[in-house]
Amino acid sequence: MPHTADMRVEAWSPTAEGCIAEAVRAVVEGFADTSGATVVGERAYVVTAESDVDLLVSVLEEVVYRMDADGEIPLDVEVGSIRAAGAGRGLSVRFRMADAGTAVPVGAVPKAVSLHDLHLRGGPGGWTCRVTLDV
């Protein structure tokens, strides 16, 4: 990234849900080696937003929040099917969490999700997403 306090992640998958899950994995790999991290449990929640791209932002904001508030990072993520939710979109997310203190730092920890140059799009080859995080 041109700005030293940013981390950009790009991911792809056959589905939008898979793309969101891959983005979570890429974000974590950008700042932590979790190969020896201690599992502390699972966290499940439902996210709703106006659009699919807003779902991506919400899921990544949850990752940042869990690190900051609970000292936990996702070792893995399962993302349910995107569905209509009122006037917007919704999905279920389940994280398998680890104690962040047991992971090896390999980069700067994200502090926020930026809306700059954000996208989540489907095409003939599947779905791609791009997101920038402030570190």
Side-chain angles (χ1 to χ4, degrees), residues 31-115:
F31 71 89
D33 174 358
T34 61
S35 59
T38 304
V39 175
V40 295
E42 290 192 1
R43 307 284 181 254
Y45 73 106
V46 175
V47 111
T48 58
E50 289 185 22
S51 67
D52 291 353
V53 75
D54 291 334
L55 292 173
L56 170 64
V57 170
S58 294
V59 171
L60 292 175
E61 285 176 340
E62 182 71 10
V63 171
V64 171
Y65 171 77
R66 291 285 178 182
M67 288 184 302
D68 187 48
D70 301 328
E72 297 177 355
I73 55 175
L75 292 176
D76 199 15
V77 59
E78 293 176 21
V79 177
S81 297
I82 295 174
R83 62 192 180 287
R89 312 284 280 156
L91 59 79
S92 299
V93 180
R94 179 177 302 280
F95 291 121
R96 188 166 61 104
M97 302 300 283
D99 178 343
T102 63
V104 177
V106 297
V109 176
K111 300 297 181 199
V113 179
S114 170
L115 302 180

